[in-house]
Amino acid sequence: MRSSEDNSSAEKRDLANDAGIFSKPLDEKNVLEVQETRNGISDSDDENVDITLQDISEIVITEDLDLPCLTIRMWFLAFGFASLIAGIDAFFLFRFPSVSIGAIVGQLLSYPVGELWYRIIPDVSFKGVHLNPGPFNMKEHACATMFMNVVISAKLVNTAFTEQVKYFDNDIGIKRAILCNMTCYILAFSWCGLALPILVKPANLVWPSTLSTCALFKTLHSRENHVADGWTIPRFSFFALVFTGSFVWYWFSDLIMPFVSSLGAWISWCKPSSAALGQVFGVKTGLGLFPLTLDWSQISSIGNPLVTPFWAAASIFGSFVFWVWIVMPGLYYTNHWQTAHLPIMSNSIYNKNGTAFQAKQVVDKDWTLNINKMRNYSPVVLPIAYIMSTALSLASFSCLWVSFFFRFKYDVIDKLRNRQTDIHNQLMAKYSNPHWIIYIASLVIGLALGFAFCEGWQKDTQITSYGFVVAMIIGGSLFIPLSLIESRANLTVGMGTFFNIVSSFWFKGKPIALLYFYLFGFSTLQHAMHMSQGAKIGHYMKVPPYATMLVLFVAGCWASVVNPAVTGWVIHHIEDVCTPNAKNNMICRSVQTSFNTHLIWGLLGSEIFAAGGRYSFIHYFFILGAGCALLGAAVVIWKPRSVFWKKVNPTLFLAGAAQIPAVTGFNYSTWFVVSFIFNYLIHKRKNAWWKKYNLVLATGLDCGVAIAAIIIYFCVVYTGGSANFKWWGTTVAGKGCDAKGCPHLPATGIKLPPGTIF
């Protein structure tokens, strides 16, 4: 047996391995700090978090706190790459197929540029400001990445601007678009700043989506290496191997033999004409019952499974199995609401003949509903996946709020009252924090800009200042509950349906008002969550809070300018854009989808979902959501020591499946399998390997796919080089009932009550 002295030494070594963060020798003070950190997590941490501070300790900085971050080099990289990527994203939003470049690409590409700057730029200083302040460090890199992440996350606002100009024939101009965007970003900054003590400082709010970003910083900038379960390969070498493999393989799964991406549908390929096989095993318009794909972009379509805690993955997959693989087929094959005459997995809206509903057939020139045209055309018929997704979104809203009410003291009051004592906050305590009055001032400025926009151009926007305020209240009230879910579970709970329903009843027959209600409420909410993620990266990387918030504010202002500028330039300078005659396939398919959604909800939402409407039953899902939250709280009170019930999240059980029909069964199942293998089995049995390599693996796979997708798109697809490259492996997934969406019953057999208008 070990002596007490040996046990004490072993405990110190274990603490050092758990911390994994001290480059200096481990002394008694360091041991105490790590012990306090460990105890702090075990005592106060949310039981649901199985990716803890000890797990991520390999990727965070705890020394060299005085490294410069707001350097000229950082601003050059931030503005340069953010403008380039945001411009490309805005430009190719118009094209189908489109391309979207994530912040991780800018993070990766900015590293060699920063290193090159250090090696070739002379160190010239002016009044203490150095042109070359020394080696390119992680804090500079973190600030540039935070900046890029805010600037390029603007698809929603770019879509709204294009939609109003090209489809609603209402050109508000680039200046007004900038004003609208500035309103959203400044308000988002104020929400983010006011919520820092609740969403960023607590150690138990890991924000899993930021972990791969931090892992890439550590991989690129650090050369430390230690043995992890027998593995001695350095992180950078491991990243290089994974990145290369991911990059090379994506050429096969996306271009050369794309059938491996949809391999789960192989049973439906055996008999392409079979509607039943397409519905059950299809991966485009089917349930995707066979869990097989060799394409990382398909596996990670819900989110990177390697950074999603296993408890969250289990809750989300359980939600999908229950609602989509059990409940939905039962409703579909019994022809509830005439859905068996339509594809089982579709987000399109249909008419009584089973073809796409043409909203322009039922409106006048001012985009108001014409009842006579509606009576002569067709009522709206919704597919089962669309109904289920809408209903689950409403249920998750009420469940989210009731759950938040029960956890309000723990998640909000306690976080505001109690000083955070984990090692991150101890190290960050040397920095001063911006005064809260700055965020209040930003809130006032943002509201003033919003009032000016709505009241100044109400004729063009159809939304009043009252609508703007209500959108802000709804978005602001949802910000903290939604952020708490994402910061723990790595899942963004969509609230678009709730905004659409509220605005469809309030602004009845005004689809443009619905567009702006959704834009002000939901886009501001999204921007605030992106900024909170950035603030968490700054917290992990030990960037001074003043520097973090300055970077986020400037990024929001720059995003408000660069995105409308590029979008407006494309609209006014590319001939026939957003028309079938557009060159280079600039047909704006995603924008048109958004337009159809707003038009349908704005014109018909208050009819088909109203009392007596054919789909009014979905309002009962508000009660279902609240009931699930109450039941979950009751079970936890009944069995407070049960680890299982504490990890069953009612909101995830309802919201987890709401991403259908865009994501189908084989996406969910393969995503869950990967999470189970790495974040449960390996995390439990080979924890040292997991801590050293898992997040690097996640980053390498994402980076390889992202860079390969860009090169394939611009060098092969966009130039037309792949137009004539066809063989069985490139065409099989686009044939048969899986691709066509064959219904269970004849599409022309839809039966509605006589006299049905809507």
Side-chain angles (χ1 to χ4, degrees), residues 280-500:
V280 176
F281 297 103
V283 300
K284 295 183 180 295
T285 62
L287 297 173
L289 199 62
F290 197 89
L292 181 60
T293 179
L294 300 180
D295 184 356
W296 178 250
S297 65
Q298 294 284 7
I299 296 173
S300 60
S301 57
I302 303 172
N304 194 317
L306 298 175
V307 299
T308 302
F310 176 68
W311 68 267
S315 296
I316 294 169
F317 184 63
S319 168
F320 179 83
V321 170
F322 179 77
W323 293 109
V324 181
W325 278 353
I326 297 176
V327 174
M328 199 172 81
L331 295 172
Y332 180 76
Y333 288 110
T334 54
N335 198 25
H336 269 68
W337 314 295
Q338 300 294 298
T339 54
H341 299 278
L342 306 173
I344 191 172
M345 194 72 74
S346 172
N347 61 356
S348 298
I349 297 173
Y350 297 87
N351 59 31
K352 62 184 179 182
N353 297 319
T355 58
F357 187 91
Q358 300 295 328
K360 289 185 178 182
Q361 298 287 335
V362 299
V363 296
D364 293 325
K365 292 182 178 180
D366 60 351
W367 299 105
T368 57
L369 180 66
N370 188 312
I371 297 296
N372 290 327
K373 290 183 178 180
M374 187 76 191
R375 184 179 289 111
N376 295 328
Y377 179 57
S378 171
V380 173
V381 185
L382 302 180
I384 187 63
Y386 191 102
I387 296 172
M388 184 63 68
S389 178
T390 302
L392 291 177
S393 294
L394 299 183
S396 61
F397 172 82
S398 57
C399 184
L400 178 75
W401 267 109
V402 175
S403 299
F404 181 62
F405 173 79
F406 278 103
R407 294 179 58 91
F408 185 78
K409 181 180 182 297
Y410 174 77
D411 284 334
V412 178
I413 301 299
D414 290 350
K415 297 299 187 294
L416 292 174
R417 286 179 177 175
N418 302 330
R419 182 172 176 267
Q420 300 294 317
T421 58
D422 64 280
I423 194 169
H424 294 288
N425 283 287
Q426 291 176 19
L427 293 168
M428 291 294 285
K430 70 168 291 183
Y431 301 121
S432 58
N433 293 292
H435 199 278
W436 58 267
I437 198 66
I438 295 175
Y439 308 123
I440 297 297
S442 299
L443 182 64
V444 172
I445 293 172
L447 290 174
L449 294 176
F451 287 142
F453 179 83
C454 294
E455 292 300 325
W457 296 282
Q458 188 179 131
K459 182 179 178 181
D460 294 331
T461 63
Q462 294 184 349
I463 190 171
T464 63
S465 56
Y466 300 104
F468 166 71
V469 171
V470 173
M472 289 296 104
I473 292 174
I474 294 176
S477 63
L478 287 170
F479 170 51
I480 289 179
L482 288 178
S483 297
L484 288 171
I485 290 290
E486 182 162 352
S487 64
R488 292 185 174 117
N490 196 33
L491 177 73
T492 301
V493 179
M495 286 292 147
T497 299
F498 179 77
F499 280 97
N500 287 335

Side-chain angles (χ1 to χ4, degrees), residues 566-636:
V566 175
T567 303
W569 185 90
V570 173
I571 290 173
H572 294 102
H573 290 84
I574 294 185
E575 186 178 358
D576 295 328
V577 67
C578 296
T579 69
N581 299 322
K583 296 180 179 180
N584 294 319
N585 222 24
M586 302 283 279
I587 58 176
C588 308
R589 178 170 292 187
S590 62
V591 180
Q592 186 171 11
T593 300
S594 177
F595 165 72
N596 291 335
T597 300
H598 289 135
L599 200 57
I600 293 296
W601 279 95
L603 298 176
L604 307 175
S606 59
E607 302 292 344
I608 62 178
F609 296 116
R614 282 184 296 115
Y615 301 107
S616 60
F617 64 88
I618 68 168
H619 295 296
Y620 288 109
F621 277 76
F622 279 116
I623 301 175
L624 174 65
C628 286
L630 291 172
L631 180 61
V635 171
V636 171

